[in-house]
Amino acid sequence: TLGETQRFLGIGDEVSGIELRLDEPERTDVVAPRVSALLTRARQNLPELRLRDWKALNSSLFSALLLEKIAMFVILTLVTIVASFNIVASLIMVVLEKKKEVAILKALGTTDRGIARIFMTEGMLIGLVGMVLGVLGGVATCLLISRFGIPLDQDVYYIDRLPVELRALDIGLIALSALLISFLATLYPSRLAARLLPAEGLRHE
């Protein structure tokens, strides 16, 4: 009990701290200023009195989480880059399979830029479809976790469920990164198709 602890530590009627537990822990930014205002008079007699919320007490944890978030973004970018090689391989195969069609188009007057634009458009469509499906799947998963929740041990954490926060900026950065990587993946196959000579495409026809 509090009395037994005070006698054991020999501190009389003093206490070393008071802990407030909120039903909504994320509202500490709202509650903390109100508590601080109530403690202003007390600080005149107890200048060492400090108010710290769970975010300040766990600042090292949040720093680690920020680092983990950056690392996850880098890992996801690398995964997207690896996946983009599938776009490169697919477009190269299309170029090899469509040599005759490319040669006919060039013989009819299509410019190198026009040929390249065709394959770039195809690659971007592949990347766009993959990006949209990925974003929809990720958002749907986050909404399901937010709706049903993943329970956490309250003896270890200050919250009872795994928090989920969807940020339009994060989703937009991921989508733009996927599209940019998809665009870069189309450059080599497009140039390969654009450099194809009509004679080479029609040689064995």
Side-chain angles (χ1 to χ4, degrees):
T1 62
L2 177 61
E4 291 294 336
T5 303
Q6 289 173 330
R7 283 193 292 271
F8 179 78
L9 297 176
I11 59 176
D13 292 333
E14 295 181 0
V15 294
S16 58
I18 299 175
E19 181 177 304
L20 302 179
R21 191 180 187 91
L22 305 180
D23 293 333
E24 300 178 10
E26 64 275 5
R27 288 178 53 84
T28 54
D29 294 337
V30 178
V31 177
R34 300 178 182 176
V35 177
S36 179
L38 294 175
L39 295 178
T40 300
R41 182 177 300 177
R43 283 198 181 94
Q44 296 176 358
N45 299 323
L46 297 171
E48 71 277 6
L49 189 63
R50 292 182 299 168
L51 176 66
R52 293 185 297 173
D53 61 4
W54 63 278
K55 296 177 183 178
L57 291 172
N58 297 276
S59 58
S60 59
L61 173 62
F62 286 104
S63 298
L65 290 176
L66 177 61
L67 180 61
E68 181 182 359
K69 181 179 180 181
I70 296 173
M72 285 300 299
F73 181 80
V74 173
I75 292 172
L76 288 175
T77 302
L78 293 176
V79 170
T80 306
I81 292 174
V82 172
S84 69
F85 287 116
N86 289 328
I87 299 178
V88 176
S90 298
L91 290 179
I92 291 177
M93 291 301 298
V94 171
V95 171
L96 295 177
E97 292 174 358
K98 301 296 183 181
K99 277 187 175 182
K100 177 182 176 182
E101 288 79 0
V102 172
I104 292 174
L105 287 174
K106 298 192 77 170
L108 293 175
T110 306
T111 63
D112 292 348
R113 181 175 298 180
I115 296 296
R117 189 180 300 116
I118 292 173
F119 289 93
M120 290 179 68
T121 301
E122 181 178 354
M124 288 301 296
L125 285 175
I126 295 173
L128 180 63
V129 171
M131 182 272 292
V132 171
L133 292 178
V135 169
L136 291 178
V139 171
T141 301
C142 290
L143 292 177
L144 287 175
I145 295 176
S146 179
R147 174 67 176 82
F148 298 102
I150 297 178
L152 299 175
D153 187 358
Q154 285 191 284
D155 293 334
V156 179
Y157 303 97
Y158 287 91
I159 51 181
D160 59 347
R161 295 193 309 169
L162 182 69
V164 175
E165 181 179 359
L166 291 173
R167 295 184 178 179
L169 178 60
D170 292 344
I171 296 174
L173 286 176
I174 293 172
L176 289 176
S177 299
L179 289 177
L180 177 60
I181 294 173
S182 298
F183 171 74
L184 295 177
T186 65
L187 295 180
Y188 175 73
S190 300
R191 293 183 61 186
L192 184 65
R195 290 201 301 261
L196 182 65
L197 298 176
E200 294 181 4
L202 299 174
R203 179 177 301 170
H204 302 292
E205 298 300 331

